[in-house]
Amino acid sequence: MSAILEVSGIVKTFGGIRAIDGANFTLDHAGIYGLIGPNGAGKTTMFDIICGRQIPDAGSVRFHAERIDGVAPYRLAREGLARTFQECRVLPEETCLDNVLFAAQDKHIGTELLQAFTRNTRRRREAEAEARRMLKLINLEQYADSPAGALSYGQRRLLEIVSCLMSKPRILLLDEPASGINPTLLNTLHDFLKEIYAETKIIFLIVEHNMEFIMSLAQEIVVMHQGQVLMQGAPDAVQANERVIDAYLG
Ligand code: ATP
């Protein structure tokens, strides 16, 4: 069986800087994966390449055996590959519920949802029920009818993740979801991601600097250093690896 995601020999330079320098890794099975490494290791560039925002100078990315490097982000989103960004993206003027519903327009629920947005169609009711269920899972149900701009920064980040999930991606890339989130919200996010994974088996690939968070959440960790993959393995093995300790954890 082919890998879910296969990154082979990726090279990406910006001017004289080799941001990615021959990186390889494979996500073979469903799971929650961490992508870690020091500042400048190439993690965000790797995300940008996987989701079609950047075109690599060399190498390939395959998603369920199909080449996807260079494919436009909106097309990849339709194929079930979604991502969040380091900077949070929500619609501040819209309610939390509408933020989540807008994000559901693409797949399964269909664009006609938007056309029928004010009508009480069955699809609209189903989508709204699902949106409210998701908001409840992440402890935001009491804000469903408040503008997203009224939420705290951490809550907005959670809202963005929920919104991404509404398009039912097969793989979701999260860029530093724990950054700037208080410990209570962090616990909520941790449990939420575990629950969504158990329920849907969607693959999560998560760039993260918060080691406690990612090591307790992920089943497997990919470590990048100087544009290459230093190691891929279980959290315990990664934390015990001397090269990883030298390059990053130490
Ligand atoms: P961080 O943990 O700080 O977010 P990162 O591992 O995500 O770092 P990248 O942001 O991918 O690392 O950056 C890798 C290298 O490529 C860095 O040296 C960075 O300065 C450089 N780089 C990334 N994007 C660009 C760009 N658009 N133009 C020039 N240099 C870039």
Side-chain angles (χ1 to χ4, degrees), residues 61-75:
V61 181
R62 287 188 163 80
F63 182 45
H64 293 284
E66 285 209 21
R67 279 283 291 260
I68 59 162
D69 43 285
V71 175
Y74 76 92
R75 284 186 51 203

Side-chain angles (χ1 to χ4, degrees), residues 66-234:
E66 285 209 21
R67 279 283 291 260
I68 59 162
D69 43 285
V71 175
Y74 76 92
R75 284 186 51 203
L76 291 179
R78 290 210 180 126
E79 295 301 314
L81 196 148
R83 79 172 284 184
T84 64
F85 292 85
Q86 266 174 23
E87 71 284 6
C88 185
R89 300 180 173 193
V90 297
L91 303 167
E93 316 262 302
E94 308 298 334
T95 67
C96 293
L97 182 67
D98 281 350
N99 263 273
V100 178
L101 283 171
F102 283 140
Q105 65 182 293
D106 235 12
K107 282 179 66 181
H108 302 292
I109 292 165
T111 45
E112 64 264 46
L113 172 70
L114 278 187
Q115 287 147 17
F117 210 62
T118 51
R119 291 209 312 261
N120 191 23
T121 59
R122 184 171 61 85
R123 284 194 157 189
R124 155 86 202 195
R125 285 196 302 276
E126 281 173 8
E128 183 171 331
E130 175 64 2
R132 287 191 186 275
R133 185 181 79 89
M134 296 286 267
L135 287 171
K136 187 163 186 215
L137 278 177
I138 201 114
N139 280 348
L140 291 179
E141 80 260 44
Q142 69 271 39
Y143 303 108
D145 301 312
S146 311
L151 297 179
S152 72
Y153 173 77
Q155 288 170 324
R156 267 183 278 148
R157 300 212 64 167
L158 303 196
L159 181 68
E160 187 190 14
I161 294 171
V162 167
S163 299
C164 279
L165 285 166
M166 283 299 281
S167 68
K168 307 269 185 238
R170 292 193 282 172
I171 179 167
L172 178 57
L173 278 50
L174 302 178
D175 203 345
E176 297 195 35
S179 119
I181 296 194
N182 72 43
T184 310
L185 285 181
L186 207 55
N187 281 337
T188 305
L189 176 62
H190 187 281
D191 295 350
F192 174 74
L193 293 175
K194 283 228 159 173
E195 193 159 340
I196 293 294
Y197 173 70
E199 183 185 307
T200 63
K201 292 291 177 284
I202 168 192
I203 294 117
F204 287 102
L205 178 60
I206 306 172
V207 166
E208 194 44 75
H209 282 291
N210 183 326
M211 287 303 106
E212 200 184 329
F213 177 78
I214 196 66
M215 293 296 176
S216 62
L217 181 66
Q219 288 116 32
E220 214 167 299
I221 304 281
V222 177
V223 187
M224 286 192 74
H225 179 51
Q226 295 180 344
Q228 297 181 339
V229 173
L230 194 62
M231 181 186 179
Q232 178 171 356

Side-chain angles (χ1 to χ4, degrees), residues 14-15 17-20 37-46 54 86 175-176 207 209:
F14 297 105
I17 297 166
R18 233 170 152 81
I20 311 269
N39 292 332
K43 306 177 297 294
T44 297
T45 307
M46 180 60 79
Q54 296 275 1
Q86 266 174 23
D175 203 345
E176 297 195 35
V207 166
H209 282 291

